[in-house]
Amino acid sequence: MAAVADPRQRQLKIKTGVVKRLGKEKTMYEKEVVDQSKKVEKMKEENKDEHDIKKQIEVLEESKTMIPDCKRRLKTAYEDLKNLIDETRTDLAETEEFKQANQMLEETVLED
């Protein structure tokens, strides 16, 4: 009969997933800003309709406003995961969830 898994292992897994997802989301918005900026510039160079350019600039600005929000949420999730790791270090350090959580913290880059 298998032992009941510690509920903290589940929390480690969930919080690790949140940090991973938010990191990807931030990267996606940053890429979108670059791509959208190029698109707007190209439209201006080609003298496209002013209304269409304004619409694309709105899309660009929307993406730009999402980045600080993503960074804030990522920082919060990172701190939550770090605190959970610190709390469980002594008794869960050998579990796969703990190792993955620790690796995610090492791979995640926080920016101001």
Side-chain angles (χ1 to χ4, degrees), residues 50-108:
E50 196 62 39
H51 177 73
D52 292 341
I53 293 173
K54 282 183 180 173
K55 280 292 173 198
Q56 293 304 317
I57 290 172
E58 283 177 28
V59 171
L60 173 61
E61 293 305 316
E62 239 174 73
S63 294
K64 282 181 179 178
T65 61
M66 291 305 294
I67 294 172
D69 180 56
C70 279
K71 286 180 180 179
R72 180 187 52 75
R73 291 184 296 140
L74 178 59
K75 186 174 182 181
T76 301
Y78 181 94
E79 293 300 325
D80 285 350
L81 181 58
K82 188 173 183 344
N83 290 338
L84 186 58
I85 281 181
D86 291 344
E87 291 168 13
T88 60
R89 184 171 304 280
T90 53
D91 45 346
L92 294 180
E94 295 306 311
T95 65
E96 188 59 33
E97 291 84 359
F98 185 91
K99 291 173 184 172
Q100 287 178 349
N102 225 9
Q103 183 179 353
M104 182 54 59
L105 288 182
E106 290 173 10
E107 292 173 2
T108 303

